[in-house]
Amino acid sequence: MAEPISESTHSLIDDIQGLSLGVFLAGIGLHMLTTLGLITGQTAGIAVVISYLSGYSFGAVFFLVNLPFYILAWRRLGKAFTIKSIISVTALSILTEIIPLGIVFSHLDPLLGAVTFGALTGVALLVLFRHNGSLGGLGVVALLIQDTTGFQAGWVQLIFDLCLFGLAFFLFDPMLVMYSLLGAVVINLIIAINHRRDRYVAR
């Protein structure tokens, strides 16, 4: 998870539309992901795996999984970021329950679905980052580890995702896990290439 932008002159209306767009795009992406039975990384990945194994809805699990991270986020990344993240996670948890009622895929190719999920989610996260929000708390733990040990946050998240996908190979169809990895690569490429503070200045 990239660190949020610390200073911004976005208005309240700017933030509302930005967070709403980010959550909506992520909701569509996650609907495609779960329709195909794919997984993803980070906090959402934990929720997806638990949802598949337990039968509970992704929205409910995603909301609960994120609860412990809010205290850490408040301490490490501030009040505004934490509040926006709570709102975004709650909205996404609700939206993932509503979207399947209005969008049903009669056919969805797993390769195209994985790439589309990655593209939608990558753009969604970019929008949220630029409005000082996020969709998950694992990155906060990574930042805390970086602060206390010097071990880079990006490597912490990568190691976690490798462990999560490694476990998934034993739990799910390996081919679906490979498609899932493709989606994760698309997300991270979009963020790595586009999330540059020197290229973005809010006005």
Side-chain angles (χ1 to χ4, degrees):
M1 183 189 73
E3 291 186 68
I5 295 173
S6 57
E7 294 183 4
S8 170
T9 55
H10 285 130
S11 68
L12 177 61
I13 298 300
D14 291 338
D15 282 341
I16 290 173
Q17 71 81 28
L19 296 177
S20 298
L21 175 62
V23 169
F24 178 72
L25 292 176
I28 297 293
L30 281 166
H31 179 42
M32 299 181 75
L33 181 90
T34 53
T35 296
L36 290 168
L38 305 182
I39 65 169
T40 187
Q42 305 299 303
T43 313
I46 300 173
V48 168
V49 171
I50 293 175
S51 175
Y52 289 160
L53 295 178
S54 68
Y56 292 115
S57 71
F58 167 81
V61 176
F62 183 61
F63 179 81
L64 292 174
V65 164
N66 274 286
L67 290 178
F69 296 105
Y70 293 137
I71 296 176
L72 297 176
W74 189 287
R75 294 176 177 174
R76 175 61 178 79
L77 298 170
K79 176 181 177 181
F81 173 81
T82 305
I83 291 175
K84 288 179 181 180
S85 297
I86 291 173
I87 292 171
S88 299
V89 168
T90 303
L92 182 61
S93 298
I94 295 171
L95 195 60
T96 54
E97 301 296 318
I98 296 174
I99 288 178
L101 302 178
I103 299 177
V104 178
F105 298 104
S106 59
H107 173 72
L108 184 58
D109 179 77
L111 178 60
L112 180 59
V115 172
T116 305
F117 157 75
L120 288 172
T121 306
V123 172
L125 291 172
L126 281 177
V127 174
L128 290 165
F129 292 158
R130 288 180 173 178
H131 288 271
N132 200 28
S134 76
L135 284 178
L138 185 66
V140 180
V141 175
L143 289 170
L144 287 173
I145 292 174
Q146 177 176 280
D147 287 347
T148 55
T149 68
F151 192 71
Q152 290 187 358
W155 286 108
V156 175
Q157 293 181 103
L158 177 60
I159 290 171
F160 175 83
D161 282 351
L162 288 174
C163 292
L164 182 63
F165 278 100
L167 176 63
F169 271 108
F170 294 98
L171 298 175
F172 308 111
D173 182 345
M175 197 63 203
L176 291 179
V177 178
M178 293 301 295
Y179 287 128
S180 301
L181 280 170
L182 174 61
V185 168
V186 172
I187 292 173
N188 286 292
L189 282 175
I190 289 174
I191 293 174
I193 293 171
N194 294 283
H195 188 59
R196 292 274 302 276
R197 298 187 187 195
D198 58 327
R199 293 180 180 173
Y200 179 76
V201 179
R203 289 286 185 251

